[in-house]
Structures are given as C-alpha cells and as structure tokens.
Amino acid sequence: NAGVTQTPKFRVLKTGQSMTLLCAQDMNHEYMYWYRQDPGMGLRLIHYSVGEGTTAKGEVPDGYNVSRLKKQNFLLGLESAAPSQTSVYFCASSPVPENTEAFFGQGTRLTVV
Amino acid sequence: RKEVEQDPGPFNVPEGATVAFNCTYSNSASQSFFWYRQDCRKEPKLLMSVYSSGNEDGRFTAQLNRASQYISLLIRDSKLSDSATYLCVVSETGGSYIPTFGRGTSLIVHP
C-alpha cells in the first residue's frame, strides 16, 4: 500500500534556487495539505487543497506556491529558496476530514544554504 | 498565539508509570479532535480520535472537555516503546476541516 508518497526525501538547495516537491496519494482523498515542521514550532500549515483544481493559503504561505491539477497530486513550489525555508516538509491527505484520519507522507528534509 | 497549546515537556518517566498530557484549544467551533504520535524523524501517525464521551484503547485513554476547551491523553503502564512526541490535533467546522496541530509533547520512558 503506497498511501502518501513524497519526492524527493532529501534535498540541498542554494539560496535563490527553485524546486518542486511532489506529493502523490492513491487513496482517492479529496483533501491534501502541505506542512512544515521546525524544532519547537510543531507542524505549521503552508497551503491546502479541498479538491482537484482548488488551493488555499494556510498559516505560513509566503515564499511557496502550490498546484492541484490532478486529484492524486499536490505540488509545492519554492520559487527562490531562502535559508529560512530549511525545514522538514510533510504532505498529508484525508477524505472529507471531519472525524477522519490524515495520512502523512514520510517527509522531505530540505536544507537551503 | 498558537490555537492549540501543549506542554512541550519532555516528560521523563520510568517504565510502568502513568502519564497524562493536556492540550487546550482556542476555537470553540472546533469539532474534531485527535491525538497523533510522531517518532523521531518520522511522519505523524494517528494514535486515537477523541470523542465527547471519552474513549479508551488499551492503555490509552482520551478525554474531551468542551466547556473548558481541553483535551487529555492518559497513558497507563508506560512502555519503552511509548517514547515519542504526542501531537494534539483539532479541526474546526463551518467550512474546511483543516487539522491544526499543537507543538507536541515529548515523552521519554526509561528503564
């Protein structure tokens, strides 16, 4: 069972470079999320999507863009990476999430130097 | 101010101890409540949902107090394998049910 798959798992970027993180889920979930996790800060929501073709801003959206062209994929883009974006990024998905579990990918460890 | 507050710990307890974690949330419209577990350098995974009547799963008991906007998790007979970070998660109603995470409480169970 694949569940939620994130690629890549690790990446080192130079300041100013761009990259895209891919999240793919095979559970036909409507909702998908991107979080970042930093020491002492917990999981903070960057962007989310409530269905194919929709996206919305979360708590910390600045410096990131997202797209949900296909239901199973949720892409997170960094147009011009900054050291402050060094973090662990988690993607998650859920059905209509009331009283339901969110399933997480294994995370992407990103370092911006 | 974080919408979901937890004591970060760490809670350092011996095997066999009983330990309780608390979590408060600020949005009275919140409708769904969960505890997740996160092992070091791993993704969070659902431990249990929290229902209004309270619920139990083996050594784990979760309670919800809507009036005080408070959630608790009780772990009895702690095992070494319970060492992890426990995340309180709240989703609000009235639109998009977006899970909001607390910062987590670290538990270390020692021999």
Side-chain angles (χ1 to χ4, degrees):
Chain A
N1 294 335
V4 179
T5 303
Q6 289 182 232
T7 52
K9 292 190 171 39
F10 303 92
R11 185 74 186 269
V12 178
L13 283 180
K14 293 183 179 179
T15 298
Q17 285 185 317
S18 64
M19 77 165 295
T20 300
L21 283 67
L22 172 63
C23 177
Q25 53 99 359
D26 61 2
M27 297 172 283
N28 202 36
H29 287 168
E30 291 293 334
Y31 282 58
M32 296 187 75
Y33 319 89
W34 276 107
Y35 291 90
R36 61 176 288 173
Q37 188 172 36
D38 303 291
M41 298 298 292
L43 283 153
R44 293 184 291 169
L45 184 67
I46 304 171
H47 287 279
Y48 65 98
S49 168
V50 301
E52 181 179 313
T54 75
T55 63
K57 294 180 179 180
E59 182 184 355
V60 289
D62 293 343
Y64 305 95
N65 57 74
V66 287
S67 64
R68 182 105 182 262
L69 297 179
K70 294 183 179 180
K71 187 176 183 178
Q72 63 268 34
N73 296 336
F74 195 29
L75 278 63
L76 178 70
L78 286 72
E79 290 186 347
S80 180
S84 61
Q85 293 177 305
T86 294
S87 188
V88 180
Y89 292 85
F90 286 103
C91 174
S93 73
S94 66
V96 176
E98 184 181 14
N99 290 322
T100 60
E101 177 181 358
F103 294 83
F104 282 80
Q106 292 181 307
T108 297
R109 298 185 179 278
L110 176 66
T111 302
V112 183
V113 297
Chain B
R1 177 174 168 271
K2 190 80 172 173
E3 296 179 4
V4 180
E5 298 277 1
Q6 293 182 251
D7 180 346
F11 285 65
N12 202 321
V13 303
E15 271 186 294
T18 295
V19 61
F21 305 138
N22 301 322
C23 171
T24 59
Y25 59 95
S26 61
N27 188 345
S28 60
S30 298
Q31 289 293 323
S32 301
F33 309 91
F34 309 90
W35 283 101
Y36 278 68
R37 170 188 170 133
Q38 185 174 24
D39 294 302
C40 186
R41 302 177 75 83
K42 298 287 190 180
E43 72 273 23
K45 293 184 179 179
L46 180 69
L47 177 66
M48 58 196 304
S49 301
V50 186
Y51 303 120
S52 296
S53 56
N55 49 299
E56 186 174 310
D57 183 3
R59 297 181 293 109
F60 298 84
T61 300
Q63 297 280 351
L64 168 63
N65 184 322
R66 286 188 184 273
S68 301
Q69 296 181 202
Y70 170 98
I71 305 159
S72 66
L73 176 68
L74 182 77
I75 305 175
R76 293 181 298 277
D77 189 23
S78 298
K79 310 292 184 190
L80 295 177
S81 57
D82 293 334
S83 297
T85 297
Y86 292 84
L87 303 167
C88 174
V89 183
V90 173
S91 294
E92 64 181 65
T93 186
S96 300
Y97 298 88
I98 305 303
T100 300
F101 285 76
R103 295 180 183 181
T105 298
S106 176
L107 172 65
I108 301 169
V109 182
H110 59 82

mmCIF file of all heavy atoms in Angstrom, chain A residues 12-30:
data_model
loop_
_atom_site.group_PDB
_atom_site.id
_atom_site.type_symbol
_atom_site.label_atom_id
_atom_site.label_comp_id
_atom_site.label_asym_id
_atom_site.label_seq_id
_atom_site.Cartn_x
_atom_site.Cartn_y
_atom_site.Cartn_z
ATOM 1 N N VAL A 12 19.296 19.453 -0.941
ATOM 2 C CA VAL A 12 20.049 20.629 -0.531
ATOM 3 C C VAL A 12 19.978 21.633 -1.678
ATOM 4 O O VAL A 12 20.289 21.300 -2.818
ATOM 5 C CB VAL A 12 21.514 20.289 -0.202
ATOM 6 C CG1 VAL A 12 22.278 21.566 0.170
ATOM 7 C CG2 VAL A 12 21.598 19.274 0.927
ATOM 8 N N LEU A 13 19.576 22.843 -1.363
ATOM 9 C CA LEU A 13 19.453 23.907 -2.352
ATOM 10 C C LEU A 13 20.362 25.057 -1.991
ATOM 11 O O LEU A 13 20.625 25.295 -0.804
ATOM 12 C CB LEU A 13 18.016 24.450 -2.402
ATOM 13 C CG LEU A 13 16.918 23.676 -3.104
ATOM 14 C CD1 LEU A 13 15.609 24.451 -3.003
ATOM 15 C CD2 LEU A 13 17.270 23.408 -4.545
ATOM 16 N N LYS A 14 20.765 25.784 -3.006
ATOM 17 C CA LYS A 14 21.455 27.038 -2.749
ATOM 18 C C LYS A 14 20.420 28.159 -2.714
ATOM 19 O O LYS A 14 19.372 28.089 -3.383
ATOM 20 C CB LYS A 14 22.490 27.308 -3.836
ATOM 21 C CG LYS A 14 23.645 26.317 -3.833
ATOM 22 C CD LYS A 14 24.670 26.678 -4.891
ATOM 23 C CE LYS A 14 25.834 25.690 -4.857
ATOM 24 N NZ LYS A 14 26.847 25.999 -5.904
ATOM 25 N N THR A 15 20.713 29.188 -1.938
ATOM 26 C CA THR A 15 19.813 30.341 -1.861
ATOM 27 C C THR A 15 19.512 30.858 -3.263
ATOM 28 O O THR A 15 20.432 31.051 -4.074
ATOM 29 C CB THR A 15 20.448 31.449 -1.007
ATOM 30 O OG1 THR A 15 20.637 30.951 0.328
ATOM 31 C CG2 THR A 15 19.557 32.674 -0.963
ATOM 32 N N GLY A 16 18.235 31.066 -3.525
ATOM 33 C CA GLY A 16 17.815 31.579 -4.815
ATOM 34 C C GLY A 16 17.396 30.518 -5.815
ATOM 35 O O GLY A 16 16.734 30.826 -6.818
ATOM 36 N N GLN A 17 17.750 29.280 -5.571
ATOM 37 C CA GLN A 17 17.334 28.208 -6.464
ATOM 38 C C GLN A 17 15.854 27.907 -6.269
ATOM 39 O O GLN A 17 15.259 28.231 -5.228
ATOM 40 C CB GLN A 17 18.155 26.938 -6.218
ATOM 41 C CG GLN A 17 19.566 26.993 -6.758
ATOM 42 C CD GLN A 17 20.298 25.678 -6.610
ATOM 43 O OE1 GLN A 17 20.222 25.017 -5.578
ATOM 44 N NE2 GLN A 17 21.025 25.303 -7.651
ATOM 45 N N SER A 18 15.294 27.246 -7.264
ATOM 46 C CA SER A 18 13.890 26.851 -7.172
ATOM 47 C C SER A 18 13.783 25.338 -7.173
ATOM 48 O O SER A 18 14.699 24.640 -7.626
ATOM 49 C CB SER A 18 13.093 27.434 -8.336
ATOM 50 O OG SER A 18 13.560 26.889 -9.562
ATOM 51 N N MET A 19 12.666 24.846 -6.640
ATOM 52 C CA MET A 19 12.418 23.405 -6.699
ATOM 53 C C MET A 19 10.940 23.138 -6.460
ATOM 54 O O MET A 19 10.210 24.010 -5.963
ATOM 55 C CB MET A 19 13.252 22.642 -5.677
ATOM 56 C CG MET A 19 12.760 22.701 -4.259
ATOM 57 S SD MET A 19 13.522 21.450 -3.201
ATOM 58 C CE MET A 19 12.907 19.928 -3.909
ATOM 59 N N THR A 20 10.539 21.934 -6.813
ATOM 60 C CA THR A 20 9.164 21.498 -6.603
ATOM 61 C C THR A 20 9.166 20.201 -5.825
ATOM 62 O O THR A 20 9.901 19.266 -6.164
ATOM 63 C CB THR A 20 8.432 21.293 -7.943
ATOM 64 O OG1 THR A 20 8.410 22.528 -8.657
ATOM 65 C CG2 THR A 20 7.007 20.820 -7.709
ATOM 66 N N LEU A 21 8.368 20.160 -4.773
ATOM 67 C CA LEU A 21 8.154 18.941 -4.020
ATOM 68 C C LEU A 21 6.846 18.312 -4.496
ATOM 69 O O LEU A 21 5.825 18.993 -4.630
ATOM 70 C CB LEU A 21 8.050 19.235 -2.520
ATOM 71 C CG LEU A 21 9.332 19.505 -1.739
ATOM 72 C CD1 LEU A 21 9.981 20.798 -2.178
ATOM 73 C CD2 LEU A 21 9.035 19.551 -0.239
ATOM 74 N N LEU A 22 6.908 17.002 -4.729
ATOM 75 C CA LEU A 22 5.734 16.298 -5.222
ATOM 76 C C LEU A 22 5.129 15.434 -4.133
ATOM 77 O O LEU A 22 5.835 14.742 -3.410
ATOM 78 C CB LEU A 22 6.104 15.408 -6.409
ATOM 79 C CG LEU A 22 5.004 14.452 -6.903
ATOM 80 C CD1 LEU A 22 3.802 15.230 -7.417
ATOM 81 C CD2 LEU A 22 5.555 13.517 -7.962
ATOM 82 N N CYS A 23 3.824 15.491 -4.015
ATOM 83 C CA CYS A 23 3.079 14.624 -3.110
ATOM 84 C C CYS A 23 2.052 13.865 -3.932
ATOM 85 O O CYS A 23 1.281 14.481 -4.685
ATOM 86 C CB CYS A 23 2.393 15.454 -2.035
ATOM 87 S SG CYS A 23 1.380 14.473 -0.910
ATOM 88 N N ALA A 24 2.042 12.563 -3.788
ATOM 89 C CA ALA A 24 1.088 11.727 -4.521
ATOM 90 C C ALA A 24 0.376 10.803 -3.544
ATOM 91 O O ALA A 24 1.017 10.193 -2.691
ATOM 92 C CB ALA A 24 1.807 10.912 -5.591
ATOM 93 N N GLN A 25 -0.964 10.727 -3.688
ATOM 94 C CA GLN A 25 -1.733 9.809 -2.839
ATOM 95 C C GLN A 25 -2.625 8.930 -3.711
ATOM 96 O O GLN A 25 -3.161 9.395 -4.724
ATOM 97 C CB GLN A 25 -2.560 10.586 -1.793
ATOM 98 C CG GLN A 25 -3.455 11.670 -2.355
ATOM 99 C CD GLN A 25 -4.896 11.288 -2.524
ATOM 100 O OE1 GLN A 25 -5.297 10.157 -2.228
ATOM 101 N NE2 GLN A 25 -5.703 12.236 -3.002
ATOM 102 N N ASP A 26 -2.752 7.680 -3.289
ATOM 103 C CA ASP A 26 -3.520 6.723 -4.084
ATOM 104 C C ASP A 26 -4.786 6.270 -3.360
ATOM 105 O O ASP A 26 -5.307 5.179 -3.626
ATOM 106 C CB ASP A 26 -2.642 5.517 -4.445
ATOM 107 C CG ASP A 26 -2.137 4.767 -3.221
ATOM 108 O OD1 ASP A 26 -2.497 5.145 -2.083
ATOM 109 O OD2 ASP A 26 -1.372 3.799 -3.402
ATOM 110 N N MET A 27 -5.285 7.101 -2.444
ATOM 111 C CA MET A 27 -6.449 6.740 -1.641
ATOM 112 C C MET A 27 -7.709 7.498 -2.067
ATOM 113 O O MET A 27 -8.729 7.444 -1.381
ATOM 114 C CB MET A 27 -6.141 7.014 -0.162
ATOM 115 C CG MET A 27 -4.992 6.168 0.351
ATOM 116 S SD MET A 27 -4.455 6.621 2.017
ATOM 117 C CE MET A 27 -3.507 8.088 1.670
ATOM 118 N N ASN A 28 -7.613 8.233 -3.160
ATOM 119 C CA ASN A 28 -8.754 8.993 -3.676
ATOM 120 C C ASN A 28 -9.267 10.035 -2.668
ATOM 121 O O ASN A 28 -10.466 10.331 -2.611
ATOM 122 C CB ASN A 28 -9.906 8.066 -4.096
ATOM 123 C CG ASN A 28 -10.845 8.727 -5.087
ATOM 124 O OD1 ASN A 28 -10.418 9.491 -5.950
ATOM 125 N ND2 ASN A 28 -12.131 8.440 -4.964
ATOM 126 N N HIS A 29 -8.346 10.587 -1.890
ATOM 127 C CA HIS A 29 -8.742 11.585 -0.904
ATOM 128 C C HIS A 29 -8.985 12.941 -1.544
ATOM 129 O O HIS A 29 -8.275 13.339 -2.466
ATOM 130 C CB HIS A 29 -7.660 11.721 0.168
ATOM 131 C CG HIS A 29 -7.615 10.562 1.109
ATOM 132 N ND1 HIS A 29 -6.569 10.365 1.987
ATOM 133 C CD2 HIS A 29 -8.486 9.558 1.328
ATOM 134 C CE1 HIS A 29 -6.809 9.275 2.698
ATOM 135 N NE2 HIS A 29 -7.962 8.774 2.321
ATOM 136 N N GLU A 30 -9.977 13.648 -1.007
ATOM 137 C CA GLU A 30 -10.270 14.983 -1.518
ATOM 138 C C GLU A 30 -9.288 16.039 -0.992
ATOM 139 O O GLU A 30 -8.880 16.926 -1.699
ATOM 140 C CB GLU A 30 -11.689 15.395 -1.112
ATOM 141 C CG GLU A 30 -12.794 14.618 -1.807
ATOM 142 C CD GLU A 30 -12.864 14.899 -3.311
ATOM 143 O OE1 GLU A 30 -12.442 16.001 -3.735
ATOM 144 O OE2 GLU A 30 -13.297 13.998 -4.056
#
